[in-house]
């Protein structure tokens, strides 16, 4: 029975692992900010439609929390996705996937800063090993690779921090359904992306995509919206509910593995140092999830109480904020 439930998070993480090479190929025709904006215009429209069907027009109201919704939406949606797409212009998809896989570790640090809940020392140790593994993959073990790390890596650090704050912020919306929180923050982030894209287009920082460019990347957009942002979200949320957050979190470590497999199938041949770095990062992330899960076991008999979302697995795609 549990093996059948495992197919839900498995589908989600495999979808997200494939997403990075897909988006990287689309960036050859459309600028990162415009690509992100178009993607989330479509995805947000789907989310709004689902929210209206499930909860009615009243669920679109912020209930006096508009400022908080906007801040979290800008950080989680606009910040994470724009910075990730920009980073894809400076680093390979498999490198970006490893950074994204560190989100569960970073959210623990965010919780430490904001709530004063200190992570286990073991978690901090495995976090350092995970970052060391990412560094080996990015630089390929050479000092002359630090330049590439400096651009793509710094962008991804900002992206991961933004998503970690967004994930942590969801704990303050326990009275909202996951669909409502995700949809309203998605609307706020998409509006921010629209404004940023319009300014960038008018100032010449980027160029509005021609119709031919959008047609050329239509398959990538279709995958990124329908599969990675909608179907994968539903599968992930179902898996978290049926397996529990701790067990579902372990599947997150398959994201960089999937991206590496896709890139290898496309002709990429990783070096020994990259393979060692990837293995080190994945092993550290598995250990981190086991540490987090073991910490939660003694509290299992306590009465449930609102807790920070950082106790849960962080997800790769901001649309996939897990149903708690």
């Amino acid at each position: 029975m549990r093996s059948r439930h495992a197919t839900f998070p498995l589908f989600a993480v495999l979808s997200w692992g494939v997403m990075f090479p897909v988006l990287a190929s689309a960036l050859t025709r459309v600028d990162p900010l415009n690509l992100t904006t178009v993607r989330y215009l479509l995805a947000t429209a789907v989310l709004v439609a689902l929210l209206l069907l499930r909860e009615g027009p009243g669920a679109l109201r912020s209930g006096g929390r508009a400022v908080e919704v906007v801040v979290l939406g800008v950080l989680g949606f606009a910040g994470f996705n724009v910075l990730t797409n920009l980073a894809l212009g400076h680093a390979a998809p498999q490198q970006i996937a490893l950074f994204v896989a560190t989100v569960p570790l970073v959210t623990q640090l965010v919780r430490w800063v904001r709530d004063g809940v200190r992570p286990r020392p073991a978690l901090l140790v495995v976090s350092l090993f995970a970052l060391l593994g990412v560094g080996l993959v990015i630089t390929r073990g050479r000092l002359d690779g630090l330049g590439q790390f400096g651009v793509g890596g710094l962008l991804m650090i900002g992206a991961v921090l933004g998503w970690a704050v967004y994930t942590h912020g969801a704990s303050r919306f326990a009275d909202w359904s996951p669909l409502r929180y995700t949809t309203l923050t998605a609307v706020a982030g998409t509006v921010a992306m629209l404004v940023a894209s319009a300014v960038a287009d008018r100032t010449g920082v980027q160029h509005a995509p021609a119709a031919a460019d959008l047609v050329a990347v239509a398959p990538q957009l279709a995958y990124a919206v329908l599969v990675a942002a909608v179907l994968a979200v539903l599968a992930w949320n179902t898996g978290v509910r049926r397996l529990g957050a701790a067990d579902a979190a372990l599947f997150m470590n398959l994201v960089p593995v999937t991206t590496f497999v896709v890139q290898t199938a496309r002709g990429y041949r990783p070096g020994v140092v990259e393979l060692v770095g990837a293995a080190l990062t994945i092993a550290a992330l598995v250990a981190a999830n086991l540490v987090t899960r073991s910490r939660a076991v003694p509290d299992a008999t306590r009465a449930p109480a609102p807790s920070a979302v950082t106790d849960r697995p962080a997800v790769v795609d901001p649309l996939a904020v897990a149903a708690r």
Side-chain angles (χ1 to χ4, degrees):
M1 182 66 69
R2 290 181 64 84
S3 61
R4 185 179 67 182
H5 297 334
T7 59
F8 293 103
L10 181 62
F11 171 79
V13 298
L14 292 179
S15 300
W16 294 328
V18 173
M19 179 183 67
F20 294 106
V22 169
L23 290 178
S25 66
L27 290 173
T28 60
R29 297 294 297 265
V30 181
D31 292 317
L33 183 53
N34 279 324
L35 179 66
T36 307
T37 303
V38 172
R39 179 189 176 198
Y40 280 98
L41 274 173
L42 299 173
T44 301
V46 174
L47 283 171
V48 169
L50 289 175
L51 183 62
L52 288 173
L53 287 173
R54 286 181 61 89
E55 302 184 28
L60 291 174
R61 300 190 183 97
S62 63
R65 310 179 73 177
V67 174
E68 193 173 9
V69 167
V70 169
V71 171
L72 291 171
V74 169
L75 286 175
F77 283 85
F80 178 87
N81 287 284
V82 170
L83 290 176
T84 297
N85 278 352
L86 288 172
L88 282 169
H90 299 278
Q94 64 270 21
Q95 299 168 345
I96 299 302
L98 282 174
F99 267 101
V100 173
T102 64
V103 170
L105 305 180
V106 176
T107 49
Q108 294 291 333
L109 299 179
V110 169
R111 187 186 182 199
W112 185 11
V113 172
R114 301 193 67 183
D115 296 341
V117 180
R118 185 189 301 271
R120 281 186 172 183
L123 185 61
L124 296 178
V125 171
V126 295
S127 298
L128 292 176
F129 277 103
L131 292 177
L132 174 61
V134 171
L136 288 176
V137 173
I138 296 289
T139 64
R140 299 178 183 176
R142 302 194 308 266
L143 291 179
D144 57 1
L146 290 174
Q148 187 180 33
F149 178 85
V151 178
L154 287 177
L155 288 169
M156 284 310 302
I157 289 173
V160 167
L161 284 174
W163 180 239
V165 172
Y166 172 81
T167 305
H168 178 272
S171 62
R172 296 191 291 274
F173 290 80
D175 55 329
W176 287 17
S177 70
L179 178 60
R180 183 183 181 188
Y181 174 75
T182 305
T183 301
L184 294 189
T185 51
V187 169
T190 301
V191 170
M193 285 185 274
L194 274 172
V195 173
S197 286
V199 172
D201 289 337
R202 291 185 65 86
T203 57
V205 175
Q206 64 178 15
H207 302 285
D213 293 324
L214 292 177
V215 170
V217 300
Q220 292 96 316
L221 277 174
Y223 178 88
V225 172
L226 297 177
V227 178
V230 177
L231 294 179
V233 173
L234 296 175
W236 177 258
N237 291 344
T238 302
V240 169
R241 286 191 179 276
R242 296 188 180 186
L243 288 176
D247 288 339
L250 295 174
F251 287 89
M252 288 297 298
N253 302 291
L254 293 176
V255 172
V257 175
T258 303
T259 304
F260 263 89
V261 170
V262 172
Q263 289 297 89
T264 301
R266 296 178 64 193
Y268 178 75
R269 294 295 177 265
V272 175
V273 174
E274 288 180 274
L275 292 175
V276 170
L280 179 62
T281 300
I282 293 167
L285 293 170
V286 171
N289 279 306
L290 291 175
V291 167
T292 303
R293 183 171 61 174
S294 65
R295 183 177 186 177
V297 169
D299 299 329
T301 58
R302 297 181 182 177
S307 60
V309 177
T310 48
D311 287 335
R312 315 280 184 166
V315 294
V316 172
D317 194 298
L319 286 179
V321 59
R324 313 301 184 203

